[in-house]
Amino acid sequence: MSKNIVITGGAGFIGSHVVRLFVNKYPEYQIINLDALTYAGNLENLRDIENKPNYRFAKVNILDVKAVEELFDQYQVTDVIHLAAESHVDRSIVSPLDFVYTNVIGTVNLLNTAKQKWAADLNNHRFYHVSTDEVYGSLGAEGLFTEETAYDPRSPYSASKASSDHFVRAYHETYHLQTVISNCSNNYGPYQFPEKLIPLMMANALENKPLPVYGDGRHVRD
């Protein structure tokens, strides 16, 4: 294999689509799906590709430094696409420390391991960090963010993702790790966990249940 790419959180909603895309589009790359299989991870999302010769699954928690290091050694990892995260705002309000551990400390664990294992030639490896537009706060009257928008997180979830973004940038500036950060807006589609906005609304509507809306219902979603 010309590359051995770890995709973290690959059994989740967005991660499973990324894994499928890479496995099918790049047969010359070995794709390692790293996922702890917490409540939102589901390998049923990937049944159609689980027997592909360039696909591997590793049940690993990114908080387990030893397991992450062993995985890097086992597969001679060349690149990381990092999607693993606690991502539900409501859950972050109830249990913010879970978000600090996974989103901040877990990301730093991955960065440290990548820095260590790629030290001989940092320029030929990439760490791609998938973040969120929520690090920029609430949409104002203009209804959009740009890459120049100041960080203004408003929930424990967005604060934890903002922190992880800052660590990724710090590792690029301090250690010259080759990094990319993307801050995507709201996503929806197949395999999305039903606590999220659109599947929740659809399921409740189909079952004649109330449609939960924050505040006065005037919040803007992209």
Side-chain angles (χ1 to χ4, degrees):
M1 297 294 181
S2 60
K3 285 183 178 292
N4 301 310
I5 303 174
V6 163
I7 300 177
T8 72
F13 161 46
I14 299 176
S16 62
H17 287 288
V18 176
V19 168
R20 178 178 294 102
L21 173 69
F22 271 72
V23 167
N24 289 328
K25 189 172 183 178
Y26 303 106
E28 72 278 16
Y29 296 172
Q30 179 167 240
I31 306 303
I32 304 101
N33 172 10
L34 181 161
D35 201 294
L37 295 183
T38 55
Y39 76 96
N42 187 354
L43 290 177
E44 291 294 326
N45 296 346
L46 294 163
R47 287 299 178 206
D48 57 311
I49 60 145
E50 65 181 359
N51 294 318
K52 295 271 188 175
N54 63 327
Y55 171 74
R56 299 289 184 273
F57 170 70
K59 186 177 180 181
V60 171
N61 191 315
I62 58 176
L63 293 173
D64 186 340
V65 175
K66 187 173 185 294
V68 171
E69 291 176 346
E70 289 174 350
L71 181 133
F72 267 68
D73 289 336
Q74 178 183 353
Y75 292 105
Q76 293 298 292
V77 173
T78 59
D79 305 272
V80 171
I81 302 175
H82 178 37
L83 296 105
E86 295 283 351
S87 65
H88 192 53
V89 173
D90 290 357
R91 286 178 184 267
S92 79
I93 294 168
V94 173
S95 185
L97 274 178
D98 290 341
F99 287 69
V100 173
Y101 289 131
T102 298
N103 298 355
V104 183
I105 297 174
T107 298
V108 174
N109 286 343
L110 288 168
L111 288 165
N112 275 335
T113 303
K115 176 175 71 73
Q116 173 192 339
K117 301 299 182 182
W118 300 342
D121 187 11
L122 288 175
N123 288 329
N124 279 330
H125 305 277
R126 177 166 291 175
F127 190 104
Y128 175 28
H129 177 62
V130 179
S131 186
T132 171
D133 67 341
E134 293 195 40
V135 299
Y136 301 123
S138 299
L139 283 171
E142 74 279 4
L144 58 86
F145 301 123
T146 75
E147 290 180 341
E148 304 303 317
T149 302
Y151 273 53
D152 187 22
R154 303 290 184 90
S155 70
Y157 162 59
S158 57
S160 69
K161 291 297 288 186
S163 178
S164 65
D165 288 6
H166 294 327
F167 272 106
V168 173
R169 284 195 178 88
Y171 271 66
H172 173 72
E173 295 294 335
T174 305
Y175 306 110
H176 309 296
L177 195 67
Q178 298 303 303
T179 62
V180 176
I181 300 173
S182 62
N183 299 92
C184 59
S185 60
N186 296 115
N187 292 268
Y188 68 95
Y191 312 123
Q192 188 166 23
F193 198 71
E195 70 185 0
K196 301 295 185 176
L197 176 66
I198 290 178
L200 177 66
M201 290 293 190
M202 293 173 68
N204 282 16
L206 288 168
E207 297 176 11
N208 291 316
K209 293 181 178 179
L211 305 180
V213 178
Y214 286 109
D216 59 8
R218 295 184 181 182
H219 287 75
V220 177
R221 273 313 217 5
D222 181 8

